[in-house]
Amino acid sequence: VAGSIAGCVGQLVGHPLDSIKTRLQSEALVQTSGTSTSAYRCALNVYNEGGSKAFFRGLSLPLCSKSFEQCLAFGIKNAADNFLESIGFEEGTFRTGLSGAAAGSTTALLLTPIYLVKVQLQVTPRQGVGSLAGPVAAIKSTINKLGFLGLYTGAVPIFIGTSIGYGFRFVTYEKATDILQESYGFDRIAATIIGGGMAGMATWASHYPLDLVSSRMEASVAFGGKQLTMTEHFKDIYMQSGCRGFFRGLGPCLLRAFPVNAAVFATYDLVCKSKLLT
């Protein structure tokens, strides 16, 4: 319950900036004169397409799935941590990292189709050429083009990246909250908010190039054309922009990550201690 509520809150807080991040990651796939060159310009393009509502395009499905994702992530992390303790792993960074990676890999396996639909809706207009009316239209379009397995486009970088990211997420959160409370005298609420934000930034920074590649793979399904492999996308990005290309959109991503994860961890902690669970 706590994880579900936390996931909803986090998705509502972060979806507009996530839309900008996804547009920046996938813009190289669309060769038009309107291609944005900065986060600010990208935001203006999104606004011009549909006003403030355009920033929330594709929200409905991830809003529901994020609830499930965070419920699953916190639940599996705790279960994995208990299992590792039972077989003799001592409490510490390594055990936390392993249990976090287990949570990340499980959510990635189950939710890759949701990520695919979200990205496609974020990078396409609601009306006009290349438009997708909603989640059902995106699913039908993908199946028509690539079959049912097409719904798992980008699964490899998502699996690897989410496993790495969630390992860093929970390790950073535990370390940050401990240091903030023990060394700097922060109360639990403040430490949870700041530690959660730092954990979110560490999550994305740890695997951002993989997230960029997965977004490009997912967006390419909507745009059509040849479907490149993960390795081919890495080569293509490097040839186009060098090493800097792997971090395109990182600014909005990290800007989004802090408040989203601060909200997620604070909500989770609050709900766990409230009467909602009693």
Side-chain angles (χ1 to χ4, degrees):
V1 175
S4 298
I5 297 173
C8 287
V9 172
Q11 189 63 37
L12 285 170
V13 170
H15 194 78
L17 282 170
D18 184 64
S19 294
I20 295 172
K21 178 209 69 157
T22 303
R23 286 288 188 98
L24 288 171
Q25 289 178 327
S26 59
E27 69 174 16
L29 299 175
V30 186
Q31 302 299 323
T32 67
S33 59
T35 298
S36 62
T37 56
S38 68
Y40 174 72
R41 181 63 185 170
C42 181
L44 284 179
N45 288 346
V46 174
Y47 183 80
N48 290 335
E49 286 179 9
S52 57
K53 290 182 180 180
F55 290 99
F56 293 92
R57 179 159 164 73
L59 173 63
S60 59
L61 197 58
L63 184 63
C64 296
S65 68
K66 206 68 177 180
S67 173
F68 175 68
E69 177 184 343
Q70 293 304 313
C71 175
L72 193 67
F74 280 104
I76 291 177
K77 189 270 177 186
N78 292 334
D81 193 61
N82 290 335
F83 171 74
L84 291 171
E85 181 182 20
S86 71
I87 61 175
F89 280 81
E90 295 184 0
E91 184 178 5
T93 300
F94 185 66
R95 194 176 90 186
T96 300
L98 281 179
S99 58
S105 60
T106 305
T107 58
L109 287 172
L110 295 176
L111 297 177
T112 292
I114 305 297
Y115 302 148
L116 174 78
V117 171
K118 176 186 74 71
V119 167
Q120 290 193 48
L121 292 176
Q122 288 175 322
V123 301
T124 57
R126 182 177 291 275
Q127 297 177 337
V129 178
S131 64
L132 290 171
V136 175
I139 292 171
K140 288 182 177 179
S141 175
T142 300
I143 293 175
N144 288 338
K145 292 174 182 176
L146 303 175
F148 282 98
L149 286 179
L151 295 173
Y152 278 85
T153 300
V156 173
I158 289 174
F159 178 83
I160 298 172
T162 308
S163 300
I164 294 170
Y166 270 65
F168 274 89
R169 182 192 197 202
F170 287 105
V171 168
T172 302
Y173 175 74
E174 290 193 2
K175 291 291 185 182
T177 52
D178 286 346
I179 292 172
L180 288 169
Q181 290 181 88
E182 295 173 7
S183 301
Y184 294 96
F186 282 77
D187 61 34
R188 182 179 180 84
I189 296 176
T192 298
I193 292 172
I194 298 172
M198 294 173 66
M201 295 178 78
T203 301
W204 288 101
S206 66
H207 76 286
Y208 189 79
L210 286 162
D211 180 71
L212 184 145
V213 168
S214 67
S215 290
R216 283 173 56 109
M217 293 176 72
E218 291 163 337
S220 68
V221 177
F223 296 144
K226 181 182 178 182
Q227 300 300 308
L228 303 180
T229 65
M230 180 179 73
T231 303
E232 288 171 334
H233 271 288
F234 270 112
K235 291 179 179 178
D236 187 49
I237 293 168
Y238 184 77
M239 292 298 293
Q240 286 182 0
S241 308
C243 292
R244 292 181 62 183
F246 294 111
F247 299 94
R248 181 155 184 79
L250 180 60
C253 178
L254 296 182
L255 184 62
R256 164 189 174 271
F258 192 96
V260 166
N261 285 274
V264 166
F265 279 98
T267 303
Y268 179 80
D269 190 65
L270 178 64
V271 174
C272 281
K273 291 173 173 55
S274 74
K275 294 181 179 180
L276 289 174
L277 298 182
T278 61

